[in-house]
Amino acid sequence: MKSIIGNVLMSFVILGWIKAEITFPEHGVTLNYTHIMFRWTQEPDCNLYHLIVSNSLNETVINIHTDQMIYIDKDNFIWDQNYVAILTPIYDTEDNAQISDTISFSIGPAYTFADLNIEIINTEDTHNGLALFSQVSPNFRMVAIDKLGNQVWNSEFAYINHWNEHGQLFGMKDGRGVEVNFYDEILWMTPAGTEVDAHEIKQIPNGNYMGITTEYQLGPIPIGPWTESYQNLGYTADGYTNEFTWRGTKIIEWDSQSHEEVWDWNPFEHFSTDDYDSLEGRWWSPINGSSYGMIFDWNHVNAFHFDKEGSMVYISSRNLSRITKVSYPDYNLIWNMGPPSDFGYGDDNICTDLLFSCQHHIQLLEDGDLLFFDNGKLSEFFLNDQYPTSRIRRIRVEDDAYCETIWEYELPQELYGHSWGSVQLLDNGNYFIYTHGSGYQDGSICTLLEVSPEKEIVWRASHTIPLSVWYRGYKIPSIHPDAFSVHVDRFKTVLIDNSISEGIIVDENNQNIIFTINNYSDYSQPYLYSFNSGNESFTSVADTVNIESGESYIVSIGADELQGTNSTAIDLNVKPLHHKWASLDLTFDVFFISGILNNSHKSNMPTSLRVFQNYPNPFNPNTTIKYNLVKDLHVRITIYDLLGNTIKNLFEGSHVSGSKSIQWDGTNNNGHRVSSGTYIYNIEAGNIIHTAKMVLIK
């Protein structure tokens, strides 16, 4: 191999000396949150970064050193204030440091009318997350508070009706279903002109979006106490003449790219119009001034849950007090769950003894239990309650026929919620509950509760404005689900032909490209990464890894023979699977410099895994892969082709420390011999991935 010092290829473009740059937040921006994330680019040769932030009074609010390219502060920023941030890379000593980047930003005002009365009953058992709630009246606002009641985020950008475990936000904006983020950016919208119901929209596991839309059809006016009133308006109202507009709500799936409808569940095709509400008074609503006008609001879907494992959709029809389980995508009805037939809500419901009514926020838990908010608007009829009573229901369906109550919580009289409402099972085992708090003969006080499994209230927050309306409440880990960084090993400056260049340095004994993905998001997130080499000196790789909150993942990309190769370029892309808008697209030059990496420049690659090039290579028909483990680890070895298709699941299991080897005989998972060509072997050991190429010849 030849050194390139003083011998740069003519095709190599020398880069300028680029200092570390603050990329988030943007210079001059006004933020709508006080938990501030700073992110910046990697500086070559840098050991530490010094971040100083001061306010408009020249008071220092942050003064920290970190070896990462990201920092999140949750304690030192306040509303309605201006700030300046200064970033300084530190090399050998701080005496040699030079200011790299300076930005200014401001934080807007808090929403004072969203203040809550906070009561912490048990600090030790209270979840440390943020409470997120969507206020729709008297003002349209989205707000997140910490457990002390301090407002940390607010927005009037969109109405949020769903948050998920990856930190995605879904809701409505200007009459269209949307996915947005905490930075008030639209990530996806339903097609223009589609009448979208505001109750729920979400992304399902195949990447498409699912929501609720409307379907109108003429139907009969059933015989009841309202019959004469409709006849006085000129309707036949005989129970079978199709003369009145019924409003049905259906489930729609939109293709994420084309926005076309690819699947729908229509109640008029799967439910009977013989089933309708007669107890709550739905048929009185049109003639008494319903917001829908002279339209009967029939099934009123207000929530659904998509179960990836079972390929099922669970649908909550509020006005039928019915939960429906249907298979996806073939529409097979598995069951309807609801009241017994004598109440007129269906003749073939399961679990009729539960007697819930007007339920909200149906969801399937990881253990298969159903969790939902039972508004109980008909509980006086169904359960002989003294007054309407809302309950939290966690039930388990056995053999698609019977139900077992796993947990139930009865809200006190004053917290009865005639509509809206939500419940969330937290990772500490508590339940986070939102109730509209309309109460029995009392005013409306929206209330958030955190309740222990023993049914003790440990935290409570109530709105200070009577007659306010929220939709749902969630406990969330953070407002920065996109918080991650990528650190590339051996990124340095080198002197070539009296010019300073920047790149990743390799030599005879350190030929791998090593980078670390760091998850700072407070969420467990899957990350997509892809790696490509300009002249195929390195193995091209694309993969997905799941990284727990606060954890890191190290990837090592093996090189082919570098003899005669002076330099190359690589492209590295890393993005959270569910937050692709936060993608990091990085390009580096790679220099082979013989013998430059002495002990002081050795790779930061942990010594827990060392992988050797397979031998022989090229090979026919067998080759051996050797690797060393310094400690006991779970190991998975997979063979891929160059398109990323899995060829052979070679090994998966726990290994004790020591020297290991495994053979591949050139066959795929079906036992068939594969064709000649280049293949990739991928070794995962703990939180380390090593990837390299090998060539099969015949």
Side-chain angles (χ1 to χ4, degrees):
M1 304 183 198
K2 298 186 292 182
S3 168
I4 63 166
I5 295 181
N7 184 27
V8 180
L9 293 179
M10 293 298 293
S11 61
F12 172 66
V13 178
I14 297 178
L15 300 176
W17 194 334
I18 302 173
K19 292 288 185 179
E21 177 185 1
I22 299 175
T23 59
F24 193 95
E26 295 181 359
H27 175 65
V29 71
T30 298
L31 305 178
N32 58 328
Y33 48 89
T34 60
H35 287 187
I36 309 300
M37 176 176 69
F38 298 91
R39 180 157 46 198
W40 52 89
T41 56
Q42 185 175 351
E43 171 75 1
D45 306 302
C46 185
N47 301 316
L48 285 173
Y49 299 91
H50 188 184
L51 178 67
I52 299 177
V53 183
S54 58
N55 61 23
S56 55
L57 300 176
N58 288 325
E59 298 169 332
T60 299
V61 296
I62 292 180
N63 187 350
I64 60 100
H65 293 77
T66 177
D67 59 358
Q68 297 299 315
M69 280 83 71
I70 191 170
Y71 181 76
I72 300 175
D73 184 279
K74 300 180 180 181
D75 301 314
N76 296 299
F77 291 92
I78 61 174
W79 296 101
D80 214 10
Q81 180 65 272
N82 300 319
Y83 296 94
V84 174
I86 300 173
L87 179 69
T88 303
I90 300 173
Y91 305 95
D92 295 328
T93 67
E94 195 149 5
D95 293 337
N96 296 326
Q98 299 179 20
I99 292 177
S100 177
D101 198 13
T102 301
I103 65 164
S104 62
F105 63 94
S106 60
I107 300 176
Y111 293 154
T112 55
F113 48 79
D115 287 347
L116 306 181
N117 290 324
I118 304 296
E119 184 181 5
I120 303 177
I121 296 94
N122 187 327
T123 302
E124 184 176 336
D125 292 339
T126 300
H127 194 276
N128 285 323
L130 306 176
L132 169 69
F133 60 94
S134 50
Q135 178 178 295
V136 296
S137 176
N139 304 94
F140 175 77
R141 296 291 186 267
M142 309 299 117
V143 178
I145 62 171
D146 64 20
K147 68 179 182 180
L148 299 178
N150 300 309
Q151 193 175 143
V152 301
W153 175 85
N154 59 52
S155 176
E156 55 185 354
F157 184 71
Y159 157 69
I160 304 302
N161 57 36
H162 181 68
W163 165 93
N164 69 15
E165 69 275 16
H166 303 295
Q168 293 175 273
L169 298 176
F170 305 90
M172 299 289 293
K173 183 174 177 59
D174 302 328
R176 298 172 68 177
V178 292
E179 179 187 359
V180 298
N181 60 21
F182 285 98
Y183 314 126
D184 287 352
E185 297 172 328
I186 296 175
L187 309 178
W188 191 88
M189 296 188 79
T190 56
T194 302
E195 184 180 344
V196 179
D197 184 275
H199 281 95
E200 190 155 71
I201 184 171
K202 60 184 69 170
Q203 191 173 30
I204 60 177
N206 65 8
N208 290 342
Y209 290 79
M210 189 170 277
I212 306 169
T213 63
T214 53
E215 183 79 11
Y216 297 94
Q217 184 172 305
L218 287 179
I221 300 174
I223 301 296
W226 51 80
T227 299
E228 184 177 352
S229 297
Y230 280 95
Q231 289 172 342
N232 290 339
L233 294 174
Y235 292 99
T236 304
D238 56 6
Y240 59 86
T241 300
N242 293 327
E243 57 180 338
F244 199 80
T245 302
W246 287 42
R247 178 185 185 269
T249 42
K250 62 181 183 179
I251 307 295
I252 291 285
E253 177 188 353
W254 294 277
D255 183 271
S256 61
Q257 301 299 319
S258 69
H259 292 69
E260 295 178 352
E261 296 182 10
V262 295
W263 185 87
D264 76 308
W265 176 89
N266 187 337
F268 289 107
E269 297 174 359
H270 302 284
F271 285 172
S272 169
T273 54
D274 292 336
D275 303 338
Y276 60 88
D277 166 64
S278 63
L279 296 178
E280 193 186 356
R282 289 290 122 191
W283 274 105
W284 288 109
S285 295
I287 55 180
N288 288 335
S290 166
S291 59
Y292 295 113
M294 290 300 287
I295 294 174
F296 174 58
D297 184 24
W298 178 33
N299 63 321
H300 196 96
V301 171
N302 60 17
F304 62 89
H305 183 98
F306 188 96
D307 174 27
K308 176 184 177 181
E309 300 302 322
S311 292
M312 298 288 171
V313 182
Y314 295 81
I315 303 166
S316 170
S317 295
R318 185 253 186 220
N319 288 358
L320 295 175
S321 295
R322 174 183 292 178
I323 299 171
T324 302
K325 179 181 179 181
V326 298
S327 61
Y328 171 93
D330 56 14
Y331 307 104
N332 288 333
L333 175 67
I334 308 303
W335 44 251
N336 283 320
M337 180 190 298
S341 59
D342 49 333
F343 288 108
Y345 290 87
D347 296 330
D348 196 25
N349 292 334
I350 68 167
C351 305
T352 55
D353 58 314
L354 294 176
L355 293 170
F356 56 83
S357 56
C358 306
Q359 71 290 334
H360 278 76
H361 203 196
I362 177 72
Q363 55 203 281
L364 188 71
L365 303 180
E366 290 185 358
D367 62 2
D369 292 350
L370 286 172
L371 181 66
F372 60 93
F373 189 99
D374 172 14
N375 292 79
K377 192 169 185 182
L378 301 176
S379 68
E380 291 172 294
F381 299 101
F382 288 177
L383 293 167
N384 296 314
D385 286 338
Q386 181 180 355
Y387 47 80
T389 302
S390 298
R391 294 172 171 85
I392 303 304
R393 305 275 197 154
R394 179 175 179 176
I395 62 174
R396 182 169 300 158
V397 182
E398 303 286 357
D399 301 323
D400 288 326
Y402 309 98
C403 285
E404 175 188 359
T405 295
I406 303 302
W407 192 83
E408 182 178 306
Y409 179 74
E410 184 174 302
L411 273 70
Q413 174 181 342
E414 69 274 11
L415 291 183
Y416 159 69
H418 68 77
S419 192
W420 301 288
S422 62
V423 57
Q424 173 191 5
L425 178 62
L426 303 178
D427 54 18
N428 67 352
N430 291 347
Y431 295 84
F432 191 66
I433 301 166
Y434 159 62
T435 175
H436 178 46
S438 50
Y440 177 63
Q441 298 180 342
D442 291 329
S444 173
I445 301 297
C446 293
T447 301
L448 298 169
L449 299 172
E450 185 174 342
V451 179
S452 72
E454 294 74 32
K455 304 182 183 180
E456 298 293 332
I457 297 175
V458 300
W459 183 90
R460 176 183 179 128
S462 299
H463 210 304
T464 59
I465 302 176
L467 303 178
S468 63
V469 177
W470 302 346
Y471 182 59
R472 287 182 183 170
Y474 292 97
K475 236 355 171 21
I476 68 174
S478 165
I479 61 169
H480 296 294
D482 59 313
F484 78 103
S485 67
V486 176
H487 180 273
V488 178
D489 198 21
R490 302 194 304 269
F491 179 43
K492 301 181 178 297
T493 56
V494 291
L495 184 65
I496 301 174
D497 286 343
N498 296 318
S499 296
I500 294 177
S501 298
E502 300 171 346
I504 301 170
I505 308 302
V506 297
D507 67 4
E508 295 90 341
N509 298 315
N510 299 269
Q511 295 192 2
N512 290 358
I513 302 296
I514 300 165
F515 60 91
T516 304
I517 307 170
N518 305 289
N519 178 5
Y520 284 88
S521 72
D522 292 327
Y523 296 77
S524 174
Q525 296 277 16
Y527 291 85
L528 303 174
Y529 71 86
S530 61
F531 175 94
N532 292 285
S533 171
N535 62 4
E536 298 185 355
S537 295
F538 294 89
T539 306
S540 294
V541 179
D543 202 357
T544 303
V545 294
N546 194 77
I547 307 177
E548 297 295 322
S549 170
E551 298 294 327
S552 301
Y553 215 98
I554 302 169
V555 181
S556 173
I557 309 295
D560 289 341
E561 290 297 317
L562 292 176
Q563 285 92 339
T565 300
N566 292 319
S567 69
T568 187
I570 62 165
D571 294 318
L572 174 62
N573 172 267
V574 183
K575 54 194 170 188
L577 176 63
H578 301 286
H579 306 281
K580 296 179 182 179
W581 51 271
S583 172
L584 286 180
D585 299 294
L586 307 171
T587 299
F588 295 92
D589 287 291
V590 180
F591 303 108
F592 173 80
I593 303 178
S594 179
I596 192 173
L597 296 174
N598 56 32
N599 290 335
S600 64
H601 293 88
K602 287 294 184 181
S603 157
N604 290 328
M605 181 71 173
T607 57
S608 54
L609 172 68
R610 184 183 181 189
V611 181
F612 302 91
Q613 183 67 43
N614 64 297
Y615 182 84
N617 188 42
F619 66 95
N620 179 22
N622 300 323
T623 190
T624 299
I625 302 168
K626 292 184 177 181
Y627 53 98
N628 286 343
L629 299 176
V630 172
K631 59 182 180 179
D632 298 352
L633 288 170
H634 184 85
V635 175
R636 179 167 59 187
I637 305 175
T638 310
I639 310 297
Y640 299 94
D641 63 18
L642 290 179
L643 297 177
N645 299 311
T646 300
I647 300 300
K648 183 81 168 185
N649 300 111
L650 199 58
F651 175 80
E652 180 167 11
S654 296
H655 265 338
V656 297
S657 61
S659 178
K660 311 294 176 183
S661 68
I662 191 169
Q663 279 199 340
W664 182 44
D665 60 3
T667 62
N668 60 22
N669 280 330
N670 296 321
H672 303 143
R673 292 203 170 274
V674 299
S675 58
S676 299
T678 301
Y679 294 88
I680 296 170
Y681 60 96
N682 189 84
I683 301 179
E684 297 181 49
N687 67 340
I688 305 171
I689 295 179
H690 179 94
T691 302
K693 289 180 181 178
M694 55 184 170
V695 178
L696 171 62
I697 58 175
K698 292 183 178 179

